[in-house]
Amino acid sequence: MNYRAAFWFPIGLLAALAGLSLWLQYALQAPNAGTPLTRKHIADYIVENFNATRTDLAGKPENTLSARKTEHFLDDDTTQLEAPDFTAFDKQGGTVNVRSAHGFVSSKGDIIIFTGKVILVRDLHDAQGPLTLTTEYLKVIPKQHLMLSNRPTVVQGKNILIHAGALQLNSQTRELLLSHHVKTHYEPIH
């Protein structure tokens, strides 16, 4: 038997294990403190009880956005919302209100995404009263007055119940477009 191989084999095995241990420690270690924040998805500021109002040139409110908690992220310039509440005002004095569990505002502030249990209430200026829409996802584009969902939606009114697979609502014209397997139950107003 070769005594040199018998001597060096355990030493080589221990060296390989030590190298593997060092590599694992380095691979699992947290990044250096010197790493810039732009590489991490870390909130650079947090605001509680957030409220904002967008007005037209005459100073009349166009929409409001509030949230229980707002977190802004520096790396992608986005904002996450906890319990967001958005209200759009139309020119006739009506409103469309959206509430949900969570929300997200794009980096330019031109898109708001509502997720979780989303409840949209559109008030009406007639005998039918308000319409309530529930879904799990709603995309709002405030400048275009559009509210869109590609998820199952339930619409309830005074005498109507509608199930649909998608919706599009213009908050100014109050036009509601429902699509994808729409089922309606309507009871006439007496």
Side-chain angles (χ1 to χ4, degrees):
M1 183 164 149
N2 187 351
Y3 289 107
R4 278 191 212 179
F7 176 75
W8 287 107
F9 178 76
I11 293 175
L13 185 61
L14 287 175
L17 286 174
L20 182 62
S21 296
L22 285 173
W23 177 81
L24 281 172
Q25 181 180 1
Y26 176 77
L28 296 176
Q29 223 174 22
N32 290 339
T35 304
L37 285 178
T38 56
R39 294 185 185 168
K40 299 179 185 178
H41 196 64
I42 297 175
D44 61 336
Y45 64 84
I46 299 171
V47 177
E48 294 190 11
N49 300 318
F50 170 81
N51 289 299
T53 301
R54 175 173 282 173
T55 62
D56 61 13
L57 294 175
K60 189 175 180 181
E62 288 184 343
N63 57 61
T64 62
L65 177 64
S66 62
R68 184 178 332 149
K69 185 177 179 182
T70 304
E71 294 182 87
H72 180 266
F73 294 91
L74 186 62
D75 63 329
D76 60 1
D77 196 28
T78 59
T79 304
Q80 290 183 4
L81 308 170
E82 182 181 302
D85 189 325
F86 176 82
T87 302
F89 303 95
D90 66 23
K91 294 177 182 176
Q92 296 79 30
T95 61
V96 175
N97 178 260
V98 180
R99 295 180 315 274
S100 70
H102 304 283
F104 169 86
V105 180
S106 66
S107 62
K108 295 179 182 177
D110 55 348
I111 296 174
I112 307 168
I113 304 291
F114 294 87
T115 60
K117 185 176 180 180
V118 181
I119 300 172
L120 183 152
V121 178
R122 183 186 81 172
D123 69 345
L124 291 177
H125 303 290
D126 58 28
Q128 291 182 357
L131 282 180
T132 302
L133 294 83
T134 55
T135 186
E136 290 298 315
Y137 170 90
L138 186 72
K139 178 180 181 178
V140 176
I141 308 170
K143 288 183 181 179
Q144 297 178 11
H145 310 288
L146 286 177
M147 300 180 179
L148 312 159
S149 181
N150 59 357
R151 309 281 167 78
T153 302
V154 177
V155 180
Q156 292 179 302
K158 186 175 182 180
N159 298 316
I160 195 164
L161 175 65
I162 305 171
H163 294 268
L167 78 89
Q168 178 177 323
L169 172 66
N170 184 308
S171 62
Q172 279 298 313
T173 64
R174 303 170 94 37
E175 294 175 0
L176 174 63
L177 174 65
L178 299 169
S179 59
H180 297 74
H181 309 290
V182 179
K183 295 179 184 176
T184 304
H185 177 73
Y186 176 74
E187 294 179 16
I189 299 174
H190 300 289

